[in-house]
Amino acid sequence: MNPPYQLGVLAMYLEERKLEELSFFRKLSIYGQKMGIEVLVFTPDDIHASKSRIQALYYNTAARKWQRKWTYFPELIYDRCRYHGMENYRKISRFRSQYNRRLKYLSNPLANKWSMHQILSENEEIASHLPATVRYNGSKELIQFLKKYQRIYLKPRSGTGGRGIIRLQMTHGSGFLMQGRDQNRHIIRPQRVYEMQISAKLSTWKLNDRYIVQQGIPLSLKDGRVHDFRMLVQKNGKGEWEITGCAGRVGPRNSVTSNLHGGGTAVPMDTLLLLRFENQAKVEEIKEEAYKLGMNVAEFIEKKFGQQVEIGIDLAIDPKGKVWLLEVNPKPSREVFHKIGETETYRKAITRPLEYASWLMKRKKSKKE
């Protein structure tokens, strides 16, 4: 007997028709079946020529394997589509232009990093937590920004996973220290550069109109490794925002990012904060500020962009304990909670999109009746 509800998961094939989050989709499918929801995974490449059906993947729990079947578009779509590269971007753009009117999503799309910074700046309470950010406009203005803040990050406006990020910081002697990650997340080891060399060093990165420049928050631990915090804010089965959890991420040596995909290590939030501040009262004060900010961000983003199901928020805590908002991710991973052993948090992180989807579908059904 088929479950009463269906949830489509919109994904994107990588090389050799592989799906980036297949393990997550399997867990989503298993929990979904227990909740009366059939999870169907598909990509823009899986649409039938008639444009009314899809060849979807579904997880057969009895056989413990993925299988395919032709089916109609599910009534609700969970967008997990991470399009790496221009070709995938074009595919998803074509898909949205053709099918958006007939499909209902759990979340509306968000803006790029620069537009998001401008929108978040409209909220005074959130704005006080935002690092200074400008669009890249040539090496001259970049150097002025660097001298003002001592440490800066250059980030792709639409990048994900720590790709293509450069950090420049002033040193005690003459010159600057430059390091980062290339587009394949490979670490660019630290190198000393002088002011007159910066323009030439950056010329191959094609920064114009594609990058933002952001004030750098001191993120280094005593051993020199950078760290930050990933907070996951999700809708529950009543359609209300809740903070599912928050965990620390510590980057590998010589890395300017802490992303787990780039070799970072997951650490419980309390453990990492106590390591830095050695005072439980201070840790609780920081956590309270961080959680309040997380709820404010989720509610404000939904007000500006429309319905959302979950938001990943990257936070930094400076040496004085101030909470900074580094980035907002509309398609967050949840593996950080699995890696720190928070089993119940990890389960919630997987099931909450299903609970919210079930709530939406039941509401729709009751209105029809």
Side-chain angles (χ1 to χ4, degrees):
M1 181 177 175
N2 289 330
Y5 300 116
Q6 289 183 329
L7 177 66
V9 176
L10 178 61
M12 182 66 75
Y13 290 124
L14 302 179
E15 294 179 3
E16 300 176 356
R17 287 178 70 85
K18 291 181 179 178
L19 292 171
E20 188 173 16
E21 295 187 291
L22 202 56
S23 175
F24 168 49
F25 300 155
R26 179 179 63 81
K27 297 181 182 78
L28 201 67
S29 300
I30 293 169
Y31 281 118
Q33 287 186 20
K34 294 176 181 177
M35 298 167 61
I37 300 174
E38 182 181 31
V39 173
L40 300 168
V41 182
F42 71 101
T43 79
D45 294 321
D46 297 322
I47 300 171
H48 189 266
S50 68
K51 298 182 180 179
S52 63
R53 294 193 302 156
I54 55 173
Q55 190 179 37
L57 275 172
Y58 70 98
Y59 189 72
N60 186 324
T61 51
R64 295 185 178 181
K65 65 179 181 180
W66 288 99
Q67 295 179 338
R68 286 190 180 273
K69 68 176 179 180
W70 285 104
T71 183
Y72 293 102
F73 281 105
E75 57 192 289
L76 198 55
I77 306 296
Y78 180 29
D79 184 357
R80 294 298 301 177
C81 187
R82 296 170 175 174
Y83 34 86
H84 306 311
M86 187 53 67
E87 179 56 32
N88 279 349
Y89 176 76
R90 291 192 186 102
K91 278 184 184 180
I92 195 61
S93 297
R94 286 195 298 268
F95 173 84
R96 286 189 174 280
S97 65
Q98 282 184 290
Y99 298 101
N100 267 19
R101 288 186 179 180
R102 63 191 286 188
L103 299 178
K104 177 71 175 175
Y105 290 85
L106 289 182
S107 283
N108 287 303
L110 301 184
N112 62 42
K113 290 185 181 72
W114 171 242
S115 297
M116 182 61 73
H117 175 81
Q118 291 178 299
I119 290 165
L120 291 173
S121 297
E122 296 173 14
N123 183 301
E124 289 184 13
E125 197 166 337
I126 296 173
S128 65
H129 296 274
L130 295 174
T133 304
V134 296
R135 283 191 291 187
Y136 177 77
N137 194 29
S139 57
K140 184 178 179 180
E141 290 187 17
L142 172 75
I143 291 168
Q144 291 175 348
F145 197 80
L146 174 56
K147 288 179 177 178
K148 181 177 180 180
Y149 292 107
Q150 311 295 305
R151 178 191 291 104
I152 62 170
Y153 284 83
L154 289 99
K155 298 180 177 181
R157 289 169 61 181
S158 303
T160 61
R163 292 177 176 86
I165 291 180
I166 306 166
R167 185 178 74 188
L168 278 163
Q169 60 186 34
M170 298 187 72
T171 60
H172 294 300
S174 59
F176 308 89
L177 196 63
M178 178 179 173
Q179 58 193 122
R181 285 183 180 269
D182 64 19
Q183 295 297 334
N184 296 313
R185 294 200 187 104
H186 298 144
I187 292 175
I188 301 169
R189 296 196 172 273
Q191 52 184 300
R192 186 180 294 275
V193 296
Y194 295 96
E195 185 174 324
M196 64 189 71
Q197 297 175 304
I198 289 178
S199 179
K201 288 284 185 182
L202 297 177
S203 62
T204 59
W205 285 74
K206 300 178 181 178
L207 302 178
N208 287 335
D209 300 323
R210 294 179 55 239
Y211 268 68
I212 59 171
V213 186
Q214 192 173 77
Q215 169 192 357
I217 309 302
L219 300 176
S220 297
L221 299 172
K222 291 179 181 178
D223 62 3
R225 294 192 294 170
V226 300
H227 75 293
D228 63 10
F229 296 86
R230 163 56 64 88
M231 177 177 286
L232 182 60
V233 193
Q234 295 176 297
K235 290 278 187 67
N236 60 22
K238 296 178 182 179
E240 301 165 340
W241 285 111
E242 282 189 27
I243 293 175
T244 302
C246 188
R249 303 181 300 184
V250 179
R253 294 191 184 281
N254 295 319
S255 174
V256 300
T257 64
S258 60
N259 308 70
L260 300 187
H261 286 303
T265 304
V267 182
M269 185 181 194
D270 282 37
T271 301
L272 195 50
L273 287 174
L274 280 170
L275 179 68
R276 293 188 61 205
F277 296 98
E278 302 175 352
N279 182 307
Q280 187 64 49
K282 181 67 174 176
V283 167
E284 293 304 319
E285 180 186 317
I286 292 169
K287 286 173 64 179
E288 184 179 348
E289 183 182 346
Y291 276 54
K292 181 181 178 183
L293 174 62
M295 288 294 286
N296 285 343
V297 169
E299 289 168 0
F300 186 69
I301 284 177
E302 186 161 57
K303 180 181 176 182
K304 287 292 184 178
F305 293 93
Q307 179 177 290
Q308 304 295 324
V309 61
E310 59 189 359
I311 302 287
I313 300 175
D314 293 345
L315 302 170
I317 315 295
D318 70 19
K320 293 181 180 179
K322 179 178 177 177
V323 180
W324 294 86
L325 172 59
L326 299 180
E327 204 163 301
V328 173
N329 188 334
K331 297 167 189 174
S333 171
R334 55 218 77 217
E335 293 306 307
V336 65
F337 304 113
H338 174 65
K339 291 182 180 296
I340 61 175
E342 292 189 4
T343 307
E344 180 59 19
T345 303
Y346 183 54
R347 184 194 66 78
K348 284 182 182 179
I350 296 169
T351 58
R352 277 189 165 157
L354 293 165
E355 292 168 3
Y356 181 53
S358 178
W359 179 75
L360 286 174
M361 289 186 277
K362 286 176 181 175
R363 282 183 75 202
K364 181 181 178 182
K365 185 178 179 181
S366 65
K367 285 180 181 178
K368 284 183 177 179
E369 294 173 349

